[in-house]
């Protein structure tokens, strides 16, 4: 099969920016001007789908889109304008801790009465809530460890060794059947969802796209390596308790053994990863480059900010009795991961 034919289909546009980027990828139209991208809503659907289309060229690409466009100079100029708009908004809007120590300490505190998405799903979520949650999070979990791998050549010593150790676990410890992205695909299959990579991009809200895009933003830029480490720390340190609640939600609703296993696996694995990330990755990085402490804190805080925006969207929709998705889930099931 020609590489141009592989990959997911380009999703429908959500506005003039994403329409123009998609047309350029197809070879049927011009790109938007960088100035237009620089004036867009930094959290809007159109901005984040356009940015997602640019970033996906560094992952699996899209069917019918030539791989050479990954480094197309004109497309990179538009992407850079979108990134500047998004990053500037994050730096302005993200509630910041006073120090990295404060940011890390906050991650280690579990509120006595939690009100987040995993608490809702554990206590009262129904199967349809879990299916929607998995469909949206599939944009993240089907490539969860990939953008973090970009930081490896930008680290050395303890930080590189610690990061590589955690990534080795994420990629299954050398076993294809244990790759965490594949385990999530099995979870999706238990929930009757299509496991094809990129299948639910059109259904996902802008808040979900922003959560995914920030990983690529941090991962693709060497100057943001500290923020990428902060993102990684937020994910790994907060994962274990949330995964425990999600595993219980899967058991309570009878979602299936693979759905339970994915989160049970993360309860155990991420409890270990937390220690490695804190002491080896962050400790090693700051031992070599102490000036990056503020960037690590920003990565933690920005990730938390975007996850909170997503949580408000999901819970607002679900508590109102409506779907959190832009488009309804299909009934077709395809297991292709």
């Amino acid at each position: 099969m020609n590489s141009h034919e592989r990959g997911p289909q380009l999703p429908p546009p959500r506005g003039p920016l994403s329409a123009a980027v998609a047309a350029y990828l197809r070879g049927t139209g011009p790109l938007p001007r960088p100035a237009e991208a620089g004036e867009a809503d930094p959290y809007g659907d159109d901005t984040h789908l356009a940015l997602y289309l640019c970033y996906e060229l560094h992952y699996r690409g899209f069917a019918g889109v030539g791989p050479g466009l990954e480094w197309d100079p004109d497309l990179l100029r538009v992407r850079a304008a979108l990134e500047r708009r998004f990053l500037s908004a994050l730096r302005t809007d993200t509630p910041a801790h006073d120090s990295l120590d404060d940011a890390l300490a906050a991650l280690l505190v579990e509120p006595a009465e939690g009100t987040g998405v995993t608490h809702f799903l554990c206590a009262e979520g129904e199967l349809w809530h879990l299916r929607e949650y998995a469909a949206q999070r599939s944009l993240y979990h089907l490539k969860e460890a990939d953008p973090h791998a970009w930081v490896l050549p930008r680290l050395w010593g303890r930080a590189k060794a610690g990061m590589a150790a955690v990534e080795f676990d994420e990629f299954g410890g050398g076993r294809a059947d244990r790759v965490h992205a594949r385990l999530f695909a099995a979870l999706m299959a238990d929930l009757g969802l299509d496991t094809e990579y990129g299948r639910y991009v059109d259904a996902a809200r802008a808040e979900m796209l922003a959560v995914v895009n920030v990983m690529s933003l941090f991962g693709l830029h060497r100057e943001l390596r500290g923020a990428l480490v902060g993102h990684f720390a937020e994910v790994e340190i907060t994962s274990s308790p949330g995964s425990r609640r999600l595993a219980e939600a899967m058991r309570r609703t009878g979602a299936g053994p693979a759905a339970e296993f994915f989160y049970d696996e993360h309860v155990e694995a991420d409890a270990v990863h937390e220690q490695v990330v804190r002491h080896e990755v962050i400790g090693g990085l700051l031992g070599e480059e102490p000036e990056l402490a503020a960037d690590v804190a920003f990565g933690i805080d920005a990730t938390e900010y975007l996850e909170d925006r997503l949580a408000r969207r999901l819970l607002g929709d679900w508590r109102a009795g409506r779907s959190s998705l832009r488009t309804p889930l299909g009934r077709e099931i395809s297991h292709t991961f």
Side-chain angles (χ1 to χ4, degrees), residues 205 312-325:
R205 296 289 183 178
R312 288 194 297 273
R313 180 59 189 251
L314 295 177
L315 291 173
D317 286 335
W318 290 341
R319 293 193 185 283
R322 61 177 178 261
S323 172
S324 67
L325 303 175

Side-chain angles (χ1 to χ4, degrees), residues 1 47 49 115 122 130-131 212-213 215 225 282-283 288 320:
M1 179 183 289
T47 297
L49 182 58
T115 58
C122 181
L130 294 173
R131 295 184 78 236
V212 175
N213 283 339
M215 293 195 301
R225 63 194 179 281
I282 294 178
E288 299 283 354

Side-chain angles (χ1 to χ4, degrees), residues 65-283:
V65 175
L69 285 169
E70 179 182 6
W71 299 109
D72 180 89
D74 294 328
L75 186 61
L76 290 176
R77 276 189 281 273
V78 173
R79 194 191 86 186
L82 291 166
E83 289 176 326
R84 285 192 295 271
R85 182 66 168 156
F86 182 32
L87 185 59
S88 176
L90 282 179
R91 292 196 184 281
T92 299
D93 299 338
T94 296
H97 285 90
D98 292 335
S99 68
L100 174 56
D101 286 343
D102 289 343
L104 287 169
L107 294 182
L108 296 170
V109 176
E110 271 279 288
E113 295 184 7
T115 58
V117 170
T118 61
H119 292 87
F120 171 88
L121 293 173
C122 181
E124 55 186 295
E126 299 176 21
L127 201 56
W128 71 272
H129 294 121
L130 294 173
R131 295 184 78 236
E132 289 197 355
Y133 182 74
Q136 298 235 38
R137 299 297 299 192
S138 69
L139 276 64
Y140 178 99
H141 282 300
L142 292 183
K143 66 160 174 273
E144 178 179 357
D146 295 345
H148 295 140
W150 278 322
V151 83
L152 283 168
R154 296 155 184 179
L155 303 175
W156 61 92
R158 285 170 53 208
K160 182 189 284 283
M163 192 78 186
V166 177
E167 285 284 270
F168 185 63
D169 283 351
E170 296 288 341
F171 291 125
R175 292 177 52 187
D177 63 318
R178 300 284 293 190
V179 173
H180 284 191
R182 180 164 289 183
L183 296 180
F184 191 81
L187 172 151
M188 294 175 70
D190 264 4
L191 291 170
L193 296 172
D194 191 331
T195 63
E196 182 181 359
Y197 181 90
R199 166 66 176 80
Y200 295 108
V201 172
D202 190 37
R205 296 289 183 178
E207 291 85 353
M208 185 68 241
L209 290 177
V211 166
V212 175
N213 283 339
V214 80
M215 293 195 301
S216 300
L217 171 64
F218 292 163
L220 283 166
H221 294 273
R222 188 175 66 84
E223 67 177 343
L224 295 173
R225 63 194 179 281
L228 191 281
V229 167
H231 180 283
F232 192 62
E234 198 278 344
V235 169
E236 296 298 330
I237 292 172
T238 62
S239 173
S240 190
S243 293
R244 185 177 292 107
R245 289 186 287 271
L246 289 168
E248 177 55 33
M250 296 297 174
R251 272 186 281 274
R252 182 177 56 76
T253 57
E260 296 173 20
F261 181 78
F262 177 82
Y263 289 112
D264 283 334
E265 169 77 4
H266 279 69
V267 171
E268 180 178 345
D270 290 343
V272 176
H273 293 172
E274 172 200 330
Q275 299 297 317
V276 177
V277 172
R278 287 172 58 206
H279 299 295
E280 300 304 316
V281 181
I282 294 178

